[in-house]
Amino acid sequence: MPVPPRDKLPHLLLRDTSTSKPFTAHSPNGGSKPALPELPRQQHGQALQRQLATLKPLATSAAAYQRQQEVESGIGLQIQFVSQPNVELAFQSLAEERGKDDSKKIELLSVRQDGEYTYANVFVPDGKLAHFEKYVTEYLEEKKDRNGNARDHKPLLNTIEAIRAAELRALWTDDATLLPVDPDETFWWEVWLPVRGNRQAVLADFRKLAGLAECRVSDQEVHFPERTVVLMHASQRQFSGSVMTLNCVAELRRAKETADFFDEMGVGEQREWQDELLQRVRFPSDSDAVPRICLLDSGVNRGHPLLSPLMAPSDMHTVDRTGLTDDTANHGTGMAGLSAYGDLTEAVASSALISIEHRLESVRLVAAGGANIGSATLHAQLFSDAVARPEITHPHRKRVFCSAVTASDYRDRGRPSSWSAAVDSLAADPDGAGQFPRLFILSAGNTDDPAAWAEYPASLSTNLVHDPGQAWNALTVGACTNKTNTQHRNYQAVAPEGALSPYTTTSAAWEGAWPLKPDIVVEGGNLGNDGFGPIGMNSLQLLSTNNRPQDRLFRAFSATSAASALCAKIASEIAVAYPALRPETIRALIVHSAEWSDGMRAMYLPEGAANKLAYARLIRHCGWGEPNLERALWSANNSLTLVIEDELYPFKKEKGESVKSRDMNLHELPWPRAELEALQDAEVQMRVTLSYFIEPNPSARGSASKYHYPSHRLRFDVQRPLDASTEDFVARINAAAQREDEGDPVNPADPNWYLGDRQRHRGSLHQDVWEGTAADLASRGFLAVYPAAGWWRTRPALERYSLPARYSLVVSIRTEQTEVDLYNAIANKVTVVV
């Protein structure tokens, strides 16, 4: 570890702080249920019977055709259930969980909401229509069991208005406006296929049937636990010509194009600064022990004199179809300069020595000349291939992956895509049982429309984070700015100092329980305005390396691309200082170090409005603020940070029983009680960050049902003064009902947290700040980490319920009182990892 600066102390990395305790969450079926509509039973039941009867000929012909084509993945028909208006469809009751042969199970494929109706698409295997016919018969007969309890399926059937064959539009789970009006218009589709117990058989059947319909299917594919995603080029008329092809599909979306962020950004600084700068730089050795920043971008021109000492020829890779590794788009080289040196404006103007302790790698991800990744490319697979290239060449290096390549739109609105789910899967490393996780730093995506700039700051609430920035496991970076000097009397900066950059995007309009994004914001430059409209100005941007050094050595660079490159530099410097830390921990330390500027607070947390919902709104715009490298690296006597890496087993399954919650971890916080009580009413701040990686299971079947996207979720809670003993604290945690974020009221029981336990538990990185007196903090000596539902628990057939969940916990306390040495008081009490 490097020697810390004067008055800076290394963080306390603790071991053996946790005790495993049995944990029992309430049943996920608890809580109030929506009112069930009362319908005329005979009239409604007979209508459903008639609708099922119309499906029988379709099922018969579908089965005959599928047998003729020798379909191997399961013969059947897709049908759609439509809810009563403004009634929640009991869609979880439509699936069939039992049975050893998945190809013969009734499977819920997707659920979508459109206005006052809910639509559920279900695959019904050959012969299984009788399952629903029996439901309706028992409904009409008002059947009861031997104890007199109703078995008439009324809670399901009274929520259904119609049952019909699923047509193409029924399978479309993307924005409805993206489906062309012209049925003969050809375009690239993203096709999500079920697994049905035999992934390759489903894929082979789809390729065969799509080929018969003259649809072209790419050879790229991405795998998730219950889905396979491929690309297909076809028109609606071609694809819907055979209902048999639709029977293979779980859902349909439109393939994405990548944002065009490769515009020229003006002239850089003068060439003669380079030689002087190089004389002041100390470069690291080309050893595998040195951490790398791996840029997944447009390639890098390593011939640049500032970059060649940091990149060997073997560090240049490509997945671009041209096979080239160099940067013809003039973007990846700019990313490289910032991730190595930071803003070169500061580096070239300084006379100080510069020590760079990390190296660079590059994978050319985008096409030559700055062209977008075409819709014919499955971004998820291309991204996965890009990650694999440097790992195959140098498998033992510690690296941080950084990508500023995003989709050109933000239609996902927080919902997982194949691309973001691939990032989550790569980060979690499910194939390696989570033993080799990866840290991904992604740009949030840019607002590059002058009309939106003109509406700043209102535009920030409607220009949303771009795919794949919604990835749960990634560190998503937005842009702020401190650059306000236009150096021109006729131009004024658009954003005030410390505020969000006009280029950035937010998650302000995301609905439901999607993650709080961006996680942080970093300098991304500003815009100028002369009264006629905003424009980019070199004086308000960052300076980086140019891809054609023979023409000029520097170029202006800005937006969330610049911000993500600077964040990658911070991550690498933490990896140098603490080489044994997990990626989850490095992510936690960066977010833990972030602070909101006065400008950010003024925009979204006006004085007197600091309630929990206001803090959530602030975070959806600004993340947790701008990270501070010194705070991420070092503690101080009156501001110390505890770092804990641990794991727990969230679920268990005993023979003959359903999957249940298993363990919670109880961490003893080594607060120096005497020192804190001596401070009495002095204000202290406690910040807690819990970081872990989830295994994704994407589909359009809802986010708060048994078809969860995350494998598991973790929560934290801290002992309160009313918990008279540790046993009382454990009992309170165990007695808590399963909590879901959406719609939960603010919890008044522990009001001193910024967010509280109803707002903070979104995504897979949870942070909150508690402010109170030192005496109050002294009584908060334990912290619990406990599990909440995920598909490891609710999808037992996938047999992932026995896996451990790794997590990183960062806890800090800070006080303005400098006369008390909290750091050494704690260090003397604990076992510290060296």
Side-chain angles (χ1 to χ4, degrees):
M1 172 184 286
V3 176
R6 185 181 299 273
D7 300 327
K8 299 295 182 181
L9 301 165
H11 296 324
L12 299 176
L13 278 60
L14 307 187
R15 64 157 58 103
D16 302 328
T17 67
S18 69
T19 303
S20 181
K21 300 281 187 180
F23 175 72
T24 305
H26 281 204
S27 167
N29 296 318
S32 60
K33 297 182 178 180
L36 194 66
E38 288 297 331
L39 301 174
R41 185 181 292 263
Q42 293 300 313
Q43 179 181 342
H44 180 58
Q46 290 168 11
L48 296 180
Q49 274 185 331
R50 290 192 296 271
Q51 292 166 17
L52 287 170
T54 63
L55 297 175
K56 282 187 172 182
L58 289 175
T60 300
S61 62
Y65 182 81
Q66 290 170 79
R67 290 190 180 95
Q68 176 188 346
Q69 297 298 331
E70 298 180 342
V71 168
E72 299 179 1
S73 59
I75 295 171
L77 181 72
Q78 283 213 40
I79 63 177
Q80 183 179 69
F81 292 82
V82 184
S83 75
Q84 299 285 345
N86 296 313
V87 173
E88 184 178 344
L89 185 66
F91 62 85
Q92 296 190 63
S93 301
L94 298 173
E96 187 177 41
E97 297 297 330
R98 292 173 296 176
K100 294 183 179 179
D101 187 351
D102 286 344
S103 67
K104 295 182 179 179
K105 288 182 184 178
I106 298 172
E107 181 184 6
L108 176 66
L109 298 174
S110 64
V111 179
R112 67 180 176 90
Q113 187 81 27
D114 188 3
E116 58 187 8
Y117 291 97
T118 302
Y119 301 87
N121 294 325
V122 176
F123 175 76
V124 181
D126 187 29
K128 286 297 185 81
L129 270 178
H131 175 84
F132 294 109
E133 291 176 322
K134 180 183 177 184
Y135 273 20
V136 177
T137 298
E138 292 175 347
Y139 174 80
L140 289 169
E141 295 173 352
E142 301 187 44
K143 186 169 182 176
K144 300 180 184 298
D145 63 18
R146 64 181 62 183
N147 297 319
N149 299 316
R151 287 192 55 192
D152 57 2
H153 314 288
K154 179 179 176 181
L156 168 64
L157 298 183
N158 271 27
T159 67
I160 298 172
E161 180 179 90
I163 308 173
R164 61 198 186 194
E167 299 178 346
L168 184 147
R169 287 182 178 271
L171 303 175
W172 188 261
T173 60
D174 214 334
D175 187 331
T177 62
L178 297 174
L179 191 63
V181 175
D182 182 359
D184 292 314
E185 179 182 336
T186 59
F187 62 100
W188 283 99
W189 308 63
E190 200 174 77
V191 183
W192 293 58
L193 304 174
V195 173
R196 293 181 191 156
N198 191 334
R199 186 186 301 274
Q200 292 307 316
V202 173
L203 185 56
D205 287 342
F206 175 73
R207 290 187 186 279
K208 178 194 296 184
L209 296 173
L212 293 173
E214 299 183 342
C215 303
R216 179 158 62 96
V217 181
S218 76
D219 57 2
Q220 299 171 311
E221 58 193 70
V222 177
H223 296 174
F224 299 109
E226 294 185 284
R227 293 291 181 263
T228 305
V229 184
V230 296
L231 294 180
M232 177 189 69
H233 192 263
S235 68
Q236 295 175 66
R237 194 183 304 279
Q238 287 174 296
F239 189 39
S240 60
S242 169
V243 70
M244 314 312 159
T245 310
L246 299 181
N247 285 344
C248 296
V249 176
E251 56 183 288
L252 298 167
R253 306 182 189 182
R254 185 158 187 155
K256 294 189 174 77
E257 296 183 0
T258 306
D260 181 6
F261 48 71
F262 300 112
D263 292 336
E264 290 294 332
M265 293 185 174
V267 179
E269 295 294 315
Q270 296 297 312
R271 184 179 300 269
E272 63 265 20
W273 287 101
Q274 173 193 266
D275 294 338
E276 192 277 335
L277 174 60
L278 283 171
Q279 293 173 9
R280 294 187 280 110
V281 179
R282 183 173 68 86
F283 295 103
S285 67
D286 187 7
S287 163
D288 278 359
V290 175
R292 262 68 173 181
I293 294 175
C294 183
L295 299 166
L296 310 178
D297 209 275
S298 64
V300 171
N301 188 339
R302 66 169 297 274
H304 196 294
L306 291 175
L307 301 178
S308 57
L310 294 167
M311 304 182 75
S314 61
D315 295 330
M316 306 289 293
H317 308 275
T318 185
V319 291
D320 179 17
R321 64 176 66 93
T322 65
L324 300 175
T325 62
D326 62 319
D327 176 20
T328 56
N330 203 13
H331 189 268
T333 305
M335 293 287 291
L338 291 177
S339 63
Y341 296 88
D343 187 353
L344 277 168
T345 305
E346 300 169 9
V348 297
S350 171
S351 59
L353 297 177
I354 296 174
S355 179
I356 300 177
E357 299 186 68
H358 61 278
R359 293 178 63 85
L360 304 178
E361 295 174 331
S362 169
V363 184
R364 178 159 152 162
L365 187 65
V366 294
N372 292 340
I373 298 178
S375 296
T377 301
L378 184 57
H379 301 86
Q381 180 176 332
L382 190 72
F383 199 90
S384 301
D385 291 345
V387 169
R389 296 300 169 87
E391 291 186 334
I392 291 171
T393 306
H394 297 284
H396 302 299
R397 288 178 176 174
K398 184 163 188 174
R399 51 176 59 87
V400 174
F401 291 95
C402 178
S403 178
V405 181
T406 66
S408 56
D409 59 42
Y410 42 83
R411 67 180 187 257
D412 299 290
R413 303 176 75 87
R415 182 184 67 161
S417 68
S418 59
W419 191 355
S420 71
V423 174
D424 282 334
S425 184
L426 289 164
D429 181 40
D431 295 335
Q435 294 303 303
F436 303 101
R438 303 174 177 93
L439 177 59
F440 288 96
I441 294 176
L442 305 180
S443 72
N446 296 333
T447 299
D448 52 12
D449 181 5
W453 295 343
E455 298 299 322
Y456 176 91
S459 58
L460 298 174
S461 298
T462 56
N463 287 278
L464 307 180
V465 170
H466 294 188
D467 188 23
Q470 71 271 37
W472 288 42
N473 295 338
L475 183 62
T476 305
V477 185
C480 61
T481 188
N482 288 293
K483 296 183 179 292
T484 56
N485 183 5
T486 65
Q487 299 180 10
H488 198 295
R489 64 180 183 178
N490 294 328
Y491 286 84
Q492 298 295 319
V494 170
E497 183 175 359
L500 288 186
S501 167
Y503 292 111
T504 200
T505 53
T506 73
S507 67
W510 287 5
E511 298 175 351
W514 302 126
L516 299 168
K517 295 286 183 174
D519 297 291
I520 56 169
V521 290
V522 182
E523 178 64 65
N526 206 341
L527 294 166
N529 194 327
D530 62 352
F532 294 97
I535 61 169
M537 302 181 70
N538 289 348
S539 59
L540 297 176
Q541 298 181 10
L542 295 84
L543 191 68
S544 191
T545 42
N546 189 54
N547 74 323
R548 295 176 61 87
Q550 67 272 25
D551 295 335
R552 65 177 188 270
L553 289 162
F554 304 114
R555 62 160 298 194
F557 206 84
S558 64
T560 60
S561 297
S564 62
L566 294 178
C567 180
K569 182 175 183 290
I570 294 173
S572 70
E573 294 183 56
I574 297 174
V576 168
Y578 301 94
L581 290 185
R582 301 171 180 173
E584 302 98 305
T585 313
I586 295 175
R587 176 175 74 151
L589 282 170
I590 293 173
V591 178
H592 197 87
S593 75
E595 296 280 358
W596 297 303
S597 67
D598 291 341
M600 297 173 199
R601 287 177 173 269
M603 291 176 77
Y604 300 109
L605 199 69
E607 189 173 350
N611 57 54
K612 290 175 170 55
L613 293 177
Y615 275 115
R617 181 170 181 265
L618 171 64
I619 295 167
R620 286 234 179 257
H621 285 84
C622 307
W624 282 93
E626 187 171 10
N628 181 297
L629 177 61
E630 289 291 298
R631 198 156 45 236
L633 288 175
W634 314 114
S635 293
N637 294 102
N638 66 330
S639 177
L640 63 100
T641 298
L642 310 176
V643 180
I644 301 165
E645 296 184 333
D646 211 331
E647 68 177 31
L648 60 78
Y649 286 84
F651 311 118
K652 64 181 178 181
K653 185 179 187 301
E654 298 176 355
K655 189 174 182 180
E657 296 185 0
S658 61
V659 181
K660 298 179 179 179
S661 299
R662 175 175 166 179
D663 292 338
M664 62 178 279
N665 276 356
L666 190 65
H667 292 271
E668 183 174 5
L669 299 174
W671 300 147
R673 195 177 187 96
E675 285 79 357
L676 288 172
E677 289 178 343
L679 292 175
Q680 296 186 352
D681 293 334
E683 288 293 315
V684 295
Q685 182 187 90
M686 174 173 60
R687 183 178 295 236
V688 179
T689 305
L690 175 64
S691 174
Y692 58 97
F693 290 164
I694 57 96
E695 181 184 356
N697 189 5
S699 71
R701 293 181 289 182
S703 62
S705 70
K706 63 185 177 184
Y707 304 103
H708 295 283
Y709 174 74
S711 51
H712 63 286
R713 288 176 291 183
L714 300 180
R715 304 285 190 253
F716 73 82
D717 202 350
V718 178
Q719 187 178 21
R720 303 172 186 175
L722 294 178
D723 300 321
S725 65
T726 307
E727 291 73 19
D728 290 341
F729 177 43
V730 173
R732 176 170 64 80
I733 298 297
N734 267 319
Q738 176 173 329
R739 299 177 183 133
E740 295 298 339
D741 296 324
E742 185 176 4
D744 275 352
V746 173
N747 181 8
D750 202 10
N752 288 17
W753 293 97
Y754 283 0
L755 288 176
D757 57 0
R758 300 300 202 265
Q759 294 288 337
R760 65 181 173 232
H761 293 139
R762 301 173 189 266
S764 64
L765 188 145
H766 313 312
Q767 179 163 285
D768 209 348
V769 177
W770 177 91
E771 292 180 342
T773 67
D776 192 353
L777 180 63
S779 64
R780 297 171 179 265
F782 287 89
L783 183 150
V785 176
Y786 60 94
W791 64 265
W792 279 358
R793 175 176 178 173
T794 58
R795 308 294 288 157
L798 299 176
E799 297 184 348
R800 306 287 282 176
Y801 42 76
S802 60
L803 294 176
R806 304 189 342 161
Y807 65 87
S808 300
L809 190 63
V810 180
V811 184
S812 64
I813 57 174
R814 187 187 308 176
T815 176
E816 297 300 323
Q817 307 297 316
T818 58
E819 68 275 10
V820 177
D821 186 355
L822 297 177
Y823 182 94
N824 284 304
I826 291 178
N828 292 331
K829 294 180 61 176
V830 299
T831 302
V832 178
V833 180
V834 178

